[in-house]
Amino acid sequence: PYTTLFRSVELGESARKTILEARQQEADLAFGQFQETTRRDHAISGVRAVLEAAREGRVHRLFLKSGAAQVGLLGPSFSMDDPALVEGKQDLINAIAVETIRRGGEVYTLHGDKLGDCPVAALLRYAVAETPIGEAQSQHGSAIRANSLEGAV
């Protein structure tokens, strides 16, 4: 009976290790996509910016530095079903993760210094305010014309 129990514990530990390794590979792949995104307005970092984006449901993928914690007030724009839950200081990193999951986002923990000094970063579903196409074209056109005029003078 003891050998069966020991084998079950070994099997459980092996399964846990395999799952953690697979999850870390997923995190590394997702973080690579975050780093390579061409839409820089869809990539943000910093506790307050990411907290606000998570509250608004804009976080698609959240990246947390392993072991990171930051305690503070959630702020007046943050509301939950039970107002007593937002009173006083909270673990803001945990609040970001909870809000991301509640709104259908993915959460990854990164080991090492991939995030540098920042404890949290996110890839957004959409930016805060998209610039209308016509406005973006006219801004770029003005910049191109200004550069060509400077070269002509």
Side-chain angles (χ1 to χ4, degrees):
Y2 292 114
T3 55
T4 305
L5 177 62
F6 183 68
R7 287 184 185 154
S8 296
V9 170
E10 284 180 336
L11 181 62
E13 182 58 32
S14 177
R16 186 184 75 78
K17 185 177 178 184
T18 301
I19 290 169
L20 288 175
E21 287 173 1
R23 188 70 177 145
Q24 189 59 51
Q25 287 176 354
E26 288 177 31
D28 291 342
L29 180 63
F31 189 66
Q33 293 169 348
F34 169 81
Q35 291 177 306
E36 294 174 9
T37 185
T38 57
R39 295 292 310 263
R40 296 316 302 169
D41 60 339
H42 283 74
I44 62 171
S45 62
V47 173
R48 287 289 166 193
V50 177
L51 179 61
E52 188 65 23
R55 185 191 65 77
E56 294 170 353
R58 294 186 294 124
V59 175
H60 173 58
R61 291 188 171 140
L62 176 66
F63 303 99
L64 304 174
K65 187 178 213 174
S66 180
Q70 184 169 334
V71 176
L73 298 174
L74 291 174
S77 66
F78 204 90
S79 62
M80 296 176 83
D81 297 333
D82 184 358
L85 294 176
V86 297
E87 292 180 8
K89 293 186 176 184
Q90 307 285 324
D91 179 349
L92 300 178
I93 305 297
N94 186 61
I96 293 169
V98 168
E99 285 302 305
T100 298
I101 292 167
R102 284 181 62 201
R103 301 202 185 330
E106 301 168 7
V107 178
Y108 298 97
T109 301
L110 299 176
H111 300 281
D113 62 348
K114 293 177 184 174
L115 290 175
D117 292 335
C118 189
V120 61
L123 187 60
L124 303 178
R125 292 184 173 105
Y126 57 91
V128 176
E130 300 284 350
T131 305
I133 292 174
E135 185 179 327
Q137 289 173 342
S138 68
Q139 288 173 352
H140 293 301
S142 298
I144 292 169
R145 284 191 296 278
N147 288 339
S148 62
L149 289 176
E150 288 176 58
V153 175

